[in-house]
Short mmCIF file of all heavy atoms in Angstrom, two decimals:
data_model
loop_
_atom_site.label_atom_id
_atom_site.label_comp_id
_atom_site.label_asym_id
_atom_site.label_seq_id
_atom_site.Cartn_x
_atom_site.Cartn_y
_atom_site.Cartn_z
N ASN A 702 3.33 1.97 -0.23
CA ASN A 702 3.13 3.32 -0.76
C ASN A 702 2.10 4.02 0.11
O ASN A 702 1.25 3.39 0.72
CB ASN A 702 2.73 3.29 -2.23
CG ASN A 702 1.39 2.63 -2.46
OD1 ASN A 702 0.35 3.24 -2.15
ND2 ASN A 702 1.37 1.42 -2.97
N ILE A 703 2.20 5.35 0.16
CA ILE A 703 1.21 6.16 0.88
C ILE A 703 0.56 7.08 -0.14
O ILE A 703 1.25 7.80 -0.86
CB ILE A 703 1.88 7.04 1.98
CG1 ILE A 703 2.67 6.18 2.98
CG2 ILE A 703 0.83 7.91 2.68
CD1 ILE A 703 1.88 5.48 4.04
N ALA A 704 -0.77 7.05 -0.19
CA ALA A 704 -1.47 7.84 -1.20
C ALA A 704 -1.57 9.31 -0.78
O ALA A 704 -1.81 9.61 0.38
CB ALA A 704 -2.86 7.28 -1.45
N LEU A 705 -1.38 10.20 -1.76
CA LEU A 705 -1.58 11.64 -1.56
C LEU A 705 -2.98 12.01 -2.07
O LEU A 705 -3.59 12.96 -1.60
CB LEU A 705 -0.50 12.45 -2.28
CG LEU A 705 0.96 12.02 -1.97
CD1 LEU A 705 1.95 12.96 -2.67
CD2 LEU A 705 1.25 11.99 -0.48
N VAL A 706 -3.44 11.27 -3.08
CA VAL A 706 -4.86 11.27 -3.48
C VAL A 706 -5.33 9.83 -3.24
O VAL A 706 -4.78 8.90 -3.85
CB VAL A 706 -5.07 11.70 -4.94
CG1 VAL A 706 -6.54 11.54 -5.35
CG2 VAL A 706 -4.62 13.15 -5.16
N LYS A 707 -6.29 9.66 -2.33
CA LYS A 707 -6.61 8.33 -1.81
C LYS A 707 -7.53 7.51 -2.69
O LYS A 707 -8.39 8.05 -3.40
CB LYS A 707 -7.30 8.46 -0.44
CG LYS A 707 -6.59 9.28 0.60
CD LYS A 707 -5.33 8.61 1.08
CE LYS A 707 -4.75 9.31 2.29
NZ LYS A 707 -3.39 8.79 2.61
N TYR A 708 -7.36 6.20 -2.56
CA TYR A 708 -8.27 5.20 -3.14
C TYR A 708 -9.23 4.78 -2.03
O TYR A 708 -8.78 4.28 -0.99
CB TYR A 708 -7.42 4.03 -3.62
CG TYR A 708 -8.02 2.65 -3.65
CD1 TYR A 708 -9.23 2.39 -4.30
CD2 TYR A 708 -7.33 1.58 -3.06
CE1 TYR A 708 -9.73 1.08 -4.34
CE2 TYR A 708 -7.84 0.28 -3.10
CZ TYR A 708 -9.03 0.04 -3.74
OH TYR A 708 -9.52 -1.24 -3.76
N TRP A 709 -10.50 5.00 -2.21
CA TRP A 709 -11.45 4.54 -1.19
C TRP A 709 -12.78 4.21 -1.87
O TRP A 709 -13.64 5.06 -2.01
CB TRP A 709 -11.63 5.60 -0.08
CG TRP A 709 -12.26 4.98 1.14
CD1 TRP A 709 -13.56 5.03 1.52
CD2 TRP A 709 -11.60 4.16 2.11
NE1 TRP A 709 -13.76 4.30 2.65
CE2 TRP A 709 -12.57 3.75 3.05
CE3 TRP A 709 -10.27 3.70 2.29
CZ2 TRP A 709 -12.26 2.94 4.14
CZ3 TRP A 709 -9.97 2.89 3.37
CH2 TRP A 709 -10.96 2.52 4.28
N LYS A 711 -14.61 0.83 -4.57
CA LYS A 711 -14.38 0.05 -5.79
C LYS A 711 -15.53 0.20 -6.78
O LYS A 711 -16.69 0.28 -6.40
CB LYS A 711 -14.24 -1.44 -5.44
CG LYS A 711 -13.00 -1.77 -4.61
CD LYS A 711 -12.96 -3.25 -4.27
CE LYS A 711 -11.71 -3.63 -3.50
NZ LYS A 711 -11.61 -3.04 -2.15
N GLU A 714 -15.67 -5.24 -7.43
CA GLU A 714 -15.04 -5.96 -6.31
C GLU A 714 -14.21 -7.14 -6.80
O GLU A 714 -13.18 -7.45 -6.20
CB GLU A 714 -16.14 -6.51 -5.40
CG GLU A 714 -16.89 -5.48 -4.61
CD GLU A 714 -16.43 -5.41 -3.16
OE1 GLU A 714 -15.77 -6.34 -2.69
OE2 GLU A 714 -16.76 -4.40 -2.52
N ILE A 717 -11.17 -5.78 -8.71
CA ILE A 717 -10.54 -4.71 -7.93
C ILE A 717 -10.24 -3.51 -8.83
O ILE A 717 -9.09 -3.10 -9.03
CB ILE A 717 -9.31 -5.19 -7.13
CG1 ILE A 717 -9.68 -6.48 -6.34
CG2 ILE A 717 -8.85 -4.09 -6.17
CD1 ILE A 717 -8.74 -6.84 -5.21
N LEU A 718 -11.31 -2.95 -9.35
CA LEU A 718 -11.21 -1.70 -10.12
C LEU A 718 -11.68 -0.57 -9.20
O LEU A 718 -12.72 -0.69 -8.55
CB LEU A 718 -12.10 -1.77 -11.35
CG LEU A 718 -11.74 -2.87 -12.35
CD1 LEU A 718 -12.77 -2.95 -13.47
CD2 LEU A 718 -10.34 -2.64 -12.92
N SER A 723 -6.10 7.34 -8.20
CA SER A 723 -5.38 7.79 -6.99
C SER A 723 -3.92 8.03 -7.34
O SER A 723 -3.47 7.67 -8.44
CB SER A 723 -5.54 6.76 -5.87
OG SER A 723 -5.09 5.49 -6.28
N LEU A 724 -3.18 8.63 -6.40
CA LEU A 724 -1.76 8.94 -6.64
C LEU A 724 -1.01 8.72 -5.34
O LEU A 724 -1.48 9.13 -4.27
CB LEU A 724 -1.64 10.39 -7.11
CG LEU A 724 -0.22 10.93 -7.37
CD1 LEU A 724 -0.22 11.87 -8.58
CD2 LEU A 724 0.33 11.67 -6.14
N SER A 725 0.14 8.08 -5.42
CA SER A 725 0.86 7.73 -4.19
C SER A 725 2.36 7.90 -4.32
O SER A 725 2.91 8.00 -5.43
CB SER A 725 0.58 6.28 -3.82
OG SER A 725 1.11 5.44 -4.83
N ARG A 762 -6.00 -16.22 0.87
CA ARG A 762 -5.97 -14.99 0.09
C ARG A 762 -4.84 -15.01 -0.95
O ARG A 762 -5.03 -14.60 -2.09
CB ARG A 762 -5.83 -13.77 1.02
CG ARG A 762 -5.97 -12.48 0.27
CD ARG A 762 -6.25 -11.29 1.15
NE ARG A 762 -6.14 -10.07 0.36
CZ ARG A 762 -6.05 -8.86 0.84
NH1 ARG A 762 -6.08 -8.66 2.13
NH2 ARG A 762 -5.93 -7.82 0.04
N SER A 796 2.37 -3.63 4.90
CA SER A 796 1.11 -3.38 4.19
C SER A 796 0.80 -4.44 3.16
O SER A 796 1.68 -5.14 2.66
CB SER A 796 1.19 -2.01 3.50
OG SER A 796 1.87 -2.13 2.29
N SER A 797 -0.48 -4.53 2.81
CA SER A 797 -0.86 -5.46 1.75
C SER A 797 -0.31 -4.97 0.40
O SER A 797 -0.11 -5.75 -0.51
CB SER A 797 -2.37 -5.62 1.69
OG SER A 797 -2.99 -4.39 1.40
N ALA A 798 0.00 -3.67 0.29
CA ALA A 798 0.54 -3.14 -0.96
C ALA A 798 1.93 -3.72 -1.24
O ALA A 798 2.18 -4.27 -2.32
CB ALA A 798 0.59 -1.62 -0.92
N PHE A 801 1.59 -7.73 -1.79
CA PHE A 801 1.13 -8.26 -3.07
C PHE A 801 1.99 -7.78 -4.24
O PHE A 801 2.09 -8.47 -5.27
CB PHE A 801 -0.36 -7.95 -3.30
CG PHE A 801 -1.24 -8.95 -2.58
CD1 PHE A 801 -1.85 -8.62 -1.38
CD2 PHE A 801 -1.42 -10.22 -3.09
CE1 PHE A 801 -2.64 -9.55 -0.70
CE2 PHE A 801 -2.20 -11.16 -2.43
CZ PHE A 801 -2.82 -10.82 -1.23
N ARG A 826 -2.71 -5.61 -8.71
CA ARG A 826 -4.00 -5.03 -8.35
C ARG A 826 -5.00 -6.09 -7.90
O ARG A 826 -5.85 -5.85 -7.04
CB ARG A 826 -4.55 -4.28 -9.57
CG ARG A 826 -5.69 -3.35 -9.35
CD ARG A 826 -6.37 -3.01 -10.68
NE ARG A 826 -7.19 -4.10 -11.14
CZ ARG A 826 -7.34 -4.46 -12.43
NH1 ARG A 826 -6.72 -3.80 -13.42
NH2 ARG A 826 -8.10 -5.48 -12.74
N ARG A 827 -4.92 -7.29 -8.50
CA ARG A 827 -5.87 -8.36 -8.17
C ARG A 827 -5.66 -8.88 -6.75
O ARG A 827 -6.56 -9.49 -6.17
CB ARG A 827 -5.76 -9.51 -9.18
CG ARG A 827 -6.02 -9.12 -10.63
CD ARG A 827 -7.43 -8.58 -10.85
NE ARG A 827 -8.48 -9.57 -10.60
CZ ARG A 827 -8.95 -10.44 -11.50
NH1 ARG A 827 -8.44 -10.45 -12.73
NH2 ARG A 827 -9.91 -11.27 -11.20
N GLY A 828 -4.43 -8.67 -6.19
CA GLY A 828 -4.19 -9.09 -4.81
C GLY A 828 -4.73 -8.07 -3.83
O GLY A 828 -5.43 -8.38 -2.88
N SER A 829 -4.40 -6.81 -4.09
CA SER A 829 -4.85 -5.69 -3.26
C SER A 829 -4.74 -4.44 -4.13
O SER A 829 -3.70 -4.25 -4.77
CB SER A 829 -3.96 -5.56 -2.03
OG SER A 829 -4.49 -4.65 -1.10
N GLY A 830 -5.80 -3.65 -4.18
CA GLY A 830 -5.81 -2.51 -5.09
C GLY A 830 -4.56 -1.67 -4.99
O GLY A 830 -3.88 -1.41 -6.00
N SER A 831 -4.21 -1.25 -3.77
CA SER A 831 -3.08 -0.34 -3.61
C SER A 831 -1.76 -0.97 -4.02
O SER A 831 -0.78 -0.27 -4.24
CB SER A 831 -3.02 0.17 -2.17
OG SER A 831 -2.99 -0.92 -1.27
N ALA A 832 -1.69 -2.31 -4.11
CA ALA A 832 -0.44 -2.98 -4.51
C ALA A 832 0.01 -2.60 -5.91
O ALA A 832 1.20 -2.59 -6.20
CB ALA A 832 -0.59 -4.49 -4.41
N CYS A 833 -0.95 -2.25 -6.78
CA CYS A 833 -0.56 -1.91 -8.16
C CYS A 833 0.33 -0.65 -8.18
O CYS A 833 1.13 -0.48 -9.09
CB CYS A 833 -1.78 -1.75 -9.07
SG CYS A 833 -2.70 -0.22 -8.84
N ARG A 834 0.18 0.20 -7.14
CA ARG A 834 0.98 1.44 -7.07
C ARG A 834 2.39 1.18 -6.54
O ARG A 834 3.23 2.09 -6.60
CB ARG A 834 0.27 2.49 -6.20
CG ARG A 834 -1.11 2.92 -6.72
CD ARG A 834 -1.68 4.08 -5.89
NE ARG A 834 -1.59 3.79 -4.47
CZ ARG A 834 -2.59 3.95 -3.58
NH1 ARG A 834 -3.77 4.43 -3.97
NH2 ARG A 834 -2.40 3.67 -2.31
N TRP A 843 -2.55 5.62 -10.23
CA TRP A 843 -3.32 4.40 -10.56
C TRP A 843 -4.57 4.88 -11.29
O TRP A 843 -5.38 5.60 -10.72
CB TRP A 843 -3.66 3.66 -9.29
CG TRP A 843 -4.59 2.49 -9.45
CD1 TRP A 843 -4.93 1.84 -10.60
CD2 TRP A 843 -5.33 1.83 -8.41
NE1 TRP A 843 -5.81 0.82 -10.34
CE2 TRP A 843 -6.07 0.79 -9.00
CE3 TRP A 843 -5.40 2.03 -7.02
CZ2 TRP A 843 -6.90 -0.04 -8.25
CZ3 TRP A 843 -6.22 1.19 -6.27
CH2 TRP A 843 -6.97 0.17 -6.90
N LYS A 873 -5.51 -2.98 12.93
CA LYS A 873 -6.73 -2.17 12.96
C LYS A 873 -7.98 -3.05 13.13
O LYS A 873 -8.00 -4.21 12.70
CB LYS A 873 -6.83 -1.27 11.74
CG LYS A 873 -6.69 -1.98 10.43
CD LYS A 873 -6.48 -0.94 9.32
CE LYS A 873 -6.26 -1.62 7.98
NZ LYS A 873 -5.25 -1.01 7.17
N SER A 876 -10.90 -3.84 8.58
CA SER A 876 -9.99 -3.83 7.43
C SER A 876 -10.41 -2.73 6.45
O SER A 876 -11.59 -2.33 6.42
CB SER A 876 -10.00 -5.18 6.72
OG SER A 876 -11.21 -5.33 5.99
N SER A 877 -9.44 -2.25 5.66
CA SER A 877 -9.77 -1.24 4.63
C SER A 877 -10.85 -1.77 3.71
O SER A 877 -11.77 -1.05 3.32
CB SER A 877 -8.54 -0.92 3.78
OG SER A 877 -7.59 -0.24 4.53
N ARG A 878 -10.74 -3.06 3.35
CA ARG A 878 -11.67 -3.63 2.36
C ARG A 878 -13.10 -3.56 2.90
O ARG A 878 -14.02 -3.15 2.19
CB ARG A 878 -11.25 -5.07 2.06
CG ARG A 878 -11.93 -5.63 0.85
CD ARG A 878 -11.30 -6.89 0.35
NE ARG A 878 -10.07 -6.65 -0.38
CZ ARG A 878 -9.41 -7.58 -1.07
NH1 ARG A 878 -9.90 -8.81 -1.12
NH2 ARG A 878 -8.31 -7.29 -1.72
N GLU A 879 -13.27 -3.96 4.17
CA GLU A 879 -14.61 -3.93 4.78
C GLU A 879 -15.11 -2.50 4.93
O GLU A 879 -16.28 -2.19 4.68
CB GLU A 879 -14.58 -4.61 6.17
CG GLU A 879 -14.62 -6.11 6.09
CD GLU A 879 -15.83 -6.61 5.31
OE1 GLU A 879 -16.93 -6.05 5.50
OE2 GLU A 879 -15.68 -7.54 4.50
N MET A 881 -14.30 0.12 3.23
CA MET A 881 -14.62 0.68 1.90
C MET A 881 -16.01 0.25 1.47
O MET A 881 -16.79 1.02 0.94
CB MET A 881 -13.65 0.10 0.86
CG MET A 881 -12.52 0.99 0.50
SD MET A 881 -11.56 0.15 -0.79
CE MET A 881 -9.95 0.55 -0.19
N ARG A 882 -16.29 -1.05 1.68
CA ARG A 882 -17.59 -1.61 1.31
C ARG A 882 -18.71 -0.88 2.07
O ARG A 882 -19.72 -0.48 1.49
CB ARG A 882 -17.64 -3.08 1.74
CG ARG A 882 -17.76 -4.01 0.61
CD ARG A 882 -17.75 -5.46 1.08
NE ARG A 882 -16.81 -6.20 0.26
CZ ARG A 882 -16.04 -7.19 0.70
NH1 ARG A 882 -16.09 -7.57 1.95
NH2 ARG A 882 -15.23 -7.80 -0.13
N MET A 928 -11.40 12.15 3.11
CA MET A 928 -11.58 10.70 3.21
C MET A 928 -12.02 10.32 4.63
O MET A 928 -12.94 9.52 4.81
CB MET A 928 -10.31 9.95 2.84
CG MET A 928 -10.49 8.44 2.91
SD MET A 928 -8.98 7.48 2.65
CE MET A 928 -8.20 7.65 4.26
N HIS A 929 -11.38 10.92 5.63
CA HIS A 929 -11.75 10.58 7.01
C HIS A 929 -13.15 11.09 7.37
O HIS A 929 -13.89 10.42 8.09
CB HIS A 929 -10.66 11.04 7.99
CG HIS A 929 -9.45 10.15 7.91
ND1 HIS A 929 -9.38 8.92 8.54
CD2 HIS A 929 -8.30 10.27 7.20
CE1 HIS A 929 -8.24 8.35 8.24
NE2 HIS A 929 -7.55 9.13 7.43
N ILE A 932 -15.45 8.54 5.81
CA ILE A 932 -15.47 7.27 6.56
C ILE A 932 -16.28 7.43 7.85
O ILE A 932 -16.98 6.51 8.29
CB ILE A 932 -14.03 6.78 6.82
CG1 ILE A 932 -13.36 6.41 5.48
CG2 ILE A 932 -14.01 5.59 7.77
CD1 ILE A 932 -11.86 6.17 5.56
N PHE A 941 -10.92 6.29 12.26
CA PHE A 941 -9.57 5.75 12.28
C PHE A 941 -8.60 6.69 13.00
O PHE A 941 -7.60 6.25 13.53
CB PHE A 941 -9.07 5.51 10.84
CG PHE A 941 -9.69 4.33 10.16
CD1 PHE A 941 -10.38 4.48 8.97
CD2 PHE A 941 -9.54 3.05 10.68
CE1 PHE A 941 -10.93 3.38 8.32
CE2 PHE A 941 -10.09 1.94 10.04
CZ PHE A 941 -10.79 2.12 8.85
N ALA A 967 -3.29 10.65 6.38
CA ALA A 967 -3.40 9.45 7.22
C ALA A 967 -4.26 8.44 6.48
O ALA A 967 -5.20 8.80 5.78
CB ALA A 967 -4.03 9.79 8.56
N ASP A 968 -3.91 7.15 6.66
CA ASP A 968 -4.67 6.07 6.00
C ASP A 968 -5.68 5.47 6.97
O ASP A 968 -6.14 6.16 7.85
CB ASP A 968 -3.68 5.03 5.44
CG ASP A 968 -3.01 5.53 4.18
OD1 ASP A 968 -3.58 6.45 3.53
OD2 ASP A 968 -1.94 5.06 3.84
N ALA A 969 -5.99 4.20 6.80
CA ALA A 969 -7.05 3.59 7.59
C ALA A 969 -6.53 3.18 8.97
O ALA A 969 -6.53 2.02 9.35
CB ALA A 969 -7.60 2.38 6.83
N GLY A 970 -6.08 4.16 9.73
CA GLY A 970 -5.54 3.96 11.06
C GLY A 970 -5.08 5.28 11.59
O GLY A 970 -5.18 6.30 10.91
C1 LIG B 2487 -4.94 4.28 -0.27
N1 LIG B 2487 -6.02 2.77 1.35
O1 LIG B 2487 -5.16 4.96 -1.30
C2 LIG B 2487 -6.11 4.04 0.65
C3 LIG B 2487 -6.18 5.07 1.73
C4 LIG B 2487 -6.19 2.92 2.78
C5 LIG B 2487 -6.52 4.33 3.00
O2 LIG B 2487 -5.65 1.62 -0.49
O3 LIG B 2487 -9.51 -4.05 -0.91
O4 LIG B 2487 -5.70 -2.62 1.09
O5 LIG B 2487 -7.14 -4.78 -1.13
O6 LIG B 2487 -8.11 -3.14 -2.76
O7 LIG B 2487 -5.51 -1.72 -1.27
C6 LIG B 2487 -6.13 0.31 1.37
O8 LIG B 2487 -6.83 -0.49 0.49
O9 LIG B 2487 -7.74 -2.48 -0.38
C7 LIG B 2487 -5.93 1.60 0.68
P1 LIG B 2487 -8.14 -3.67 -1.35
P2 LIG B 2487 -6.32 -1.88 -0.05
O10 LIG B 2487 -3.80 3.90 0.02
#
Side-chain angles (χ1 to χ4, degrees):
N702 65 74
I703 303 281
L705 309 184
V706 174
K707 306 291 190 190
Y708 151 53
W709 197 259
K711 294 178 178 65
E714 290 258 344
I717 311 197
L718 298 174
S723 56
L724 178 143
S725 64
R762 187 163 171 195
S796 82
S797 61
F801 279 102
R826 193 197 77 217
R827 301 298 296 273
S829 191
S831 54
C833 76
R834 298 187 311 228
W843 172 17
K873 53 193 177 220
S876 74
S877 291
R878 193 167 282 190
E879 280 304 319
M881 260 183 222
R882 244 178 228 145
M928 182 186 78
H929 286 280
I932 293 169
F941 286 121
D968 284 339

